[in-house]
Amino acid sequence: MPHKRREYLKRDDQILHYRLLQEEHRNRLAINAKIRDRARAHAKNDDDMDVDGEDDEGMAHVGEAEDDKLTPDKIIVIHPGSQNLRIGLGSDPLPKTVPMVIARRAAANESEDDPEPKPKRQKLDDGSFEEPEKMFGQEFSREYKSMCDALKIHMRANKRRVLPNSKELVVNYNKRTPPDTIHEHNDPMRIEWTELPKNPKQAPKYFVGNDALRIPDNSNPRYKLFWPIRHGWFNERDYQSRRQVYDDFALIIEEAIKQQLNLRNRRDWAQYGCVFLVPDFYERRYVTQIVDMCLQDFGFAKVAIMQESQGAAYGAGYSQACIVDIGAQKTSICCMEDAACMENTRINLKYGGSDVTEMFMKMMLYDHFPYEEINLNRRYDFLLAEELKSKFCTMNEAQISVQTFDFHLRAPGQDTRKYYFKTYDEILLAPQCFFQPGMFETSTKLQGRRKLIRPSENIYDWHNDDPTSTAQAEIIQAIAPTPIEDGQQSQYQQPSKPENQAPNPAISTPARQIANPFNRLQVQDQAALSNAGSPAPEGDGTPAPTNERVTNGTYSAALDPSRRDDVLSIAPLHTAILTSIAHAARGDERRTRDFLGGIMVVGGGSQIPGFTTFLEEKLKETRPGYAKDIMIGTTPRDMDPQMIVWKGGWVLTKLGVINECWVSKMEYDRLGSRCIIYKTMFTY
């Protein structure tokens, strides 16, 4: 008898999730029976009502129609990012966009806290900056000149006109052109800065979103900006405790719900559900914190979790594609099949549109940009740099010539200054660094990592159980960290790095260091030659974490997820895309051609004019044998690529499958994060 009881408890239908579905089904049948009895009772008094002809199935539909289910106008779709938060109801055609930032009262603002300007520049002994040609060091100067020379060669090969003295024209003009001063009453586009009360004691404790970015830097009292999400992770560098990170993250979303969706009464939130979009290469603690925040802090009735790549596939209407999502501070690549994420194809690269903005400013300063005091740590300079990048950067070679532009510098408490400047190839070379990421500044991106939030661990063997990917493992392996054989705490380290220096794998140009793993497609025996280990079996599940090493010094495909904390994943964009497709196709030529013909680029970083064409040409140069098959898809109906992922969550609110994804408060109270396993459309 005890043996039978144990076998009974092991059955799948005893899992709480399935029992609740059965109870819901029984309750629905009971409601349908009452409806039929009530209808038949009324039918005796109403000859026009024909109830006897209705079968049980038809009456079940009536019962289901009256069942208490969430409609799209009662579902909130939330997609947070490193720089922007997109939020809206399932009945809204487009989301509201809010900067993912909060300003809190502090002794000093962010630019006063960091004495070094951004981009960082070298100084002389007297504290003044070096001349622009030496401002960023010899290595940057050498790499920048090599990129300029390579562009000239490419333009001449394409029969484009190249002036021999283009750089001299730009530098001489930028040196001698002073700005014009425009008084505030003559500036029709002046900015309305966030107003503070005259009494500093009455100033609010915090501002969020656009109000935070519009606080004057010299305000009284001072406010400091905090970004809870940095590079796709919780920001541990700028915070002192884990609770502060979580509180700011929740507070920004809470204020967005109140202000943007006009749901100011929190008691009404119990009638709403939430679809939350998380990164493809998520961390389990991040997902658990989101579910806890939505159900416990916000009091939503239900919450559903969806991956960003799946949201992009739903939003664009693709069932099979290679999704390339270029955000502000991270780039995600994932192959989709049957609108589901193929786990071993996920790649997460730690660069994005913000790195292009900083690189654009460095190149302009190198060429004697007239506003040489620009500092991206200042709020108005940060907004100005983003505006200049979105206006002038392009990847279309036909637009490369000596051009004159202007911009207005609007700083709080100062008259508007109008600057004139010339550009040449800087507008193309800055976004081209996506394919030469060694130019990006990466020395601070791992600072503070795991300072506050420990990785998720399996309760049975205490190993890291965050998801892994063989494609990501191959990218990290190509960066070549060296294994440590002694008993040190960390199992991996960068070669020739001081102990007190943050890992910076992007030395010089990674394009010369990283081999092309896509060539494995023509190798018959992949298991013997792959640097990333054996390909995943059919059924593509998340590999179990392992710390085993093979005898030749390389690592198995199921790499320890903790390596993501030690090595910064930086690789040329086209190499990462081909690596992801190689792990999706597994040597099948037909599947390779299908994925190469279904590449879709989304995200704000892809909005640079000519970016998709340049990427397509780069992929064809790398894989000339598949040149006829490579195609970069565009967003449907010319939709904003920044909103495609949110649109996928919006689509999910209209589908019946969402009813199988809901995590209710009762389930979470009973089981905690264990219930998430049964409620996601991906392997958690």
Side-chain angles (χ1 to χ4, degrees):
M1 185 70 179
H3 175 72
K4 292 184 177 180
R5 186 181 297 113
R6 287 196 299 268
E7 292 297 325
Y8 175 75
L9 292 175
K10 289 181 180 179
R11 289 165 49 183
D12 288 342
D13 56 5
Q14 296 307 305
I15 299 175
L16 178 63
H17 166 59
Y18 297 115
R19 294 207 313 270
L20 292 176
L21 291 177
Q22 294 171 2
E23 292 176 4
E24 183 181 356
H25 179 65
R26 287 195 296 269
N27 293 337
R28 189 179 294 114
L29 291 178
I31 294 175
N32 292 340
K34 293 180 181 179
I35 292 175
R36 284 197 299 270
D37 293 342
R38 190 180 301 112
R40 291 192 179 101
H42 286 292
K44 294 180 180 179
N45 301 325
D46 190 355
D47 296 334
D48 295 334
M49 185 174 182
D50 186 11
V51 180
D52 295 334
E54 296 182 354
D55 56 4
D56 293 343
E57 183 178 359
M59 296 305 299
H61 288 302
V62 176
E64 289 179 0
E66 295 186 5
D67 196 19
D68 186 17
K69 292 184 178 180
L70 293 175
T71 55
D73 61 331
K74 292 291 184 179
I75 301 176
I76 302 173
V77 183
I78 302 175
H79 178 213
S82 300
Q83 188 163 311
N84 289 308
L85 166 70
R86 290 179 176 84
I87 187 170
L89 295 172
S91 56
D92 296 336
L94 293 174
K96 310 292 191 304
T97 301
V98 180
M100 193 71 186
V101 63
I102 182 171
R104 289 190 175 275
R105 294 176 60 171
N109 59 40
E110 58 278 5
S111 61
E112 295 171 344
D113 266 352
D114 189 357
E116 293 291 340
K118 185 179 179 181
K120 187 176 180 180
R121 299 153 220 182
Q122 296 183 357
K123 295 181 179 179
L124 299 173
D125 294 337
D126 59 356
S128 60
F129 291 127
E130 284 267 17
E131 56 184 72
E133 290 81 1
K134 301 179 182 179
M135 190 178 289
F136 303 108
Q138 295 181 356
E139 184 178 355
F140 174 82
S141 177
R142 182 173 61 254
E143 295 292 340
Y144 181 38
K145 289 179 180 178
S146 66
M147 292 179 68
C148 295
D149 295 339
L151 179 61
K152 289 180 180 179
I153 295 173
H154 191 270
M155 292 178 65
R156 289 193 180 103
N158 291 335
K159 309 299 182 183
R160 300 192 186 278
R161 184 184 179 187
V162 179
L163 295 177
N165 60 338
S166 301
K167 282 291 184 182
E168 290 76 7
L169 292 175
V170 171
V171 170
N172 292 332
Y173 182 87
N174 291 343
K175 277 183 177 180
R176 59 181 175 80
T177 306
D180 295 337
T181 301
I182 302 176
H183 297 293
E184 184 178 0
H185 60 273
N186 291 329
D187 184 9
M189 303 295 293
R190 60 180 178 272
I191 296 175
E192 296 295 334
W193 302 97
T194 301
E195 294 186 3
L196 299 176
K198 295 181 179 180
N199 186 356
K201 296 182 180 180
Q202 298 177 355
K205 293 183 178 180
Y206 64 87
F207 290 92
V208 299
N210 287 311
D211 292 339
L213 291 177
R214 296 301 185 187
I215 298 176
D217 289 74
N218 57 353
S219 63
N220 185 22
R222 290 287 195 271
Y223 282 84
K224 184 178 180 180
L225 297 185
F226 291 92
W227 304 80
I229 303 293
R230 296 275 85 178
H231 314 296
W233 294 324
F234 277 126
N235 180 8
E236 300 175 71
R237 185 185 67 178
D238 299 333
Y239 286 89
Q240 300 301 319
S241 71
R242 179 175 57 183
R243 177 48 52 191
Q244 291 178 350
V245 182
Y246 294 161
D247 288 346
D248 282 0
F249 182 70
L251 193 57
I252 294 172
I253 297 176
E254 178 183 346
E255 292 297 323
I257 294 174
K258 291 180 179 179
Q259 298 176 11
Q260 303 297 327
L261 305 184
N262 200 26
L263 299 175
R264 302 186 181 277
N265 192 347
R266 291 195 57 163
R267 288 180 295 181
D268 297 337
W269 294 6
Q271 305 172 13
Y272 287 80
C274 174
V275 174
F276 212 104
L277 291 119
V278 301
D280 306 328
F281 223 166
Y282 60 88
E283 294 180 341
R284 293 173 66 93
R285 288 193 184 274
Y286 177 79
V287 177
T288 303
Q289 176 61 29
I290 285 172
V291 175
D292 184 84
M293 176 188 69
C294 292
L295 296 178
Q296 303 292 350
D297 298 342
F298 294 162
F300 291 139
K302 302 174 182 178
V303 62
I305 302 297
M306 188 180 196
Q307 287 178 302
E308 291 176 347
S309 61
Q310 194 171 29
Y314 276 46
Y318 284 25
S319 61
Q320 184 179 29
C322 178
I323 307 297
V324 182
D325 186 359
I326 305 176
Q329 296 183 357
K330 73 173 179 65
T331 298
S332 301
I333 304 169
C334 182
C335 291
M336 308 293 297
E337 191 168 39
D338 297 330
C341 173
M342 302 178 69
E343 297 174 4
N344 279 329
T345 67
R346 295 175 294 187
I347 293 178
N348 192 293
L349 305 174
K350 297 305 179 183
Y351 58 74
S354 295
D355 296 279
V356 174
T357 302
E358 183 177 355
M359 181 55 57
F360 181 52
M361 289 296 101
K362 289 178 73 172
M363 292 181 176
M364 292 302 303
L365 288 169
Y366 186 90
D367 292 336
H368 293 259
F369 189 58
Y371 179 37
E372 58 185 10
E373 302 88 6
I374 189 169
N375 180 5
L376 300 187
N377 289 327
R378 288 198 293 254
R379 296 155 199 170
Y380 57 88
D381 283 347
F382 166 76
L383 297 174
L384 173 65
E386 289 288 340
E387 180 185 356
L388 294 178
K389 181 195 71 173
S390 61
K391 279 186 176 182
F392 305 132
C393 280
T394 181
M395 301 198 76
N396 187 358
E397 283 188 2
Q399 299 180 10
I400 302 303
S401 62
V402 178
Q403 304 178 71
T404 303
F405 298 111
D406 63 76
F407 67 90
H408 294 78
L409 174 63
R410 297 178 175 91
Q414 303 177 24
D415 289 334
T416 301
R417 284 172 284 173
K418 184 177 182 180
Y419 285 88
Y420 300 90
F421 67 101
K422 283 189 176 182
T423 65
Y424 180 53
D425 53 6
E426 305 90 351
I427 58 177
L428 185 142
L429 294 179
Q432 191 174 323
C433 290
F434 278 129
F435 307 94
Q436 292 180 247
M439 296 288 291
F440 290 141
E441 175 61 40
T442 59
S443 60
T444 61
K445 291 189 176 183
L446 284 178
Q447 286 184 1
R449 180 68 174 151
R450 296 304 181 194
K451 182 181 73 172
L452 305 176
I453 304 173
R454 291 172 53 85
S456 176
E457 294 175 338
N458 190 297
I459 62 174
Y460 299 105
D461 53 17
W462 302 107
H463 286 169
N464 191 324
D465 61 353
D466 281 327
T468 60
S469 165
T470 55
Q472 181 81 1
E474 188 161 337
I475 292 293
I476 293 178
Q477 185 65 28
I479 300 173
T482 58
I484 300 175
E485 298 299 336
D486 54 21
Q488 294 185 16
Q489 180 179 1
S490 178
Q491 297 182 1
Y492 310 95
Q493 70 175 6
Q494 297 290 338
S496 304
K497 280 288 182 181
E499 293 182 0
N500 59 352
Q501 184 174 347
N504 183 8
I507 303 174
S508 186
T509 52
R512 295 194 295 268
Q513 300 175 6
I514 300 177
N516 184 7
F518 196 72
N519 292 329
R520 301 181 311 146
L521 292 176
Q522 300 177 0
V523 180
Q524 295 296 326
D525 189 4
Q526 297 184 21
L529 299 180
S530 173
N531 286 333
S534 303
E538 293 293 332
D540 201 29
T542 302
T546 179
N547 293 325
E548 296 181 358
R549 303 179 184 180
V550 296
T551 56
N552 62 356
T554 59
Y555 296 86
S556 62
L559 290 174
D560 189 344
S562 63
R563 293 186 67 184
R564 289 186 290 176
D565 305 330
D566 301 327
V567 181
L568 189 68
S569 55
I570 295 290
L573 182 60
H574 60 292
T575 302
I577 293 173
L578 295 178
T579 303
S580 178
I581 292 177
H583 285 263
R586 301 189 185 94
D588 189 327
E589 186 173 350
R590 182 186 60 82
R591 287 163 60 87
T592 301
R593 297 183 186 277
D594 290 342
F595 282 114
L596 287 173
I599 300 174
M600 185 179 67
V601 182
V602 299
S606 66
Q607 290 187 303
I608 300 172
F611 179 82
T612 55
T613 304
F614 189 94
L615 175 60
E616 191 171 317
E617 293 177 355
K618 201 73 175 179
L619 292 172
K620 290 178 179 179
E621 290 177 5
T622 308
R623 298 300 302 170
Y626 294 94
K628 295 182 180 179
D629 303 296
I630 296 175
M631 182 179 299
I632 310 294
T634 58
T635 56
R637 298 176 296 278
D638 295 328
M639 190 182 301
D640 188 347
Q642 298 181 90
M643 301 180 181
I644 287 292
V645 176
W646 181 91
K647 200 69 173 180
W650 179 87
V651 171
L652 182 63
T653 64
K654 309 292 193 297
L655 303 178
V657 71
I658 194 175
N659 295 314
E660 301 178 12
C661 303
W662 288 126
V663 177
S664 66
K665 190 175 187 303
M666 185 269 291
E667 291 175 288
Y668 188 75
D669 290 340
R670 291 189 184 182
L671 296 179
S673 60
R674 289 178 294 168
C675 63
I676 304 176
I677 299 174
Y678 307 104
K679 296 302 186 75
T680 57
M681 293 183 285
F682 53 91
T683 304
Y684 179 74

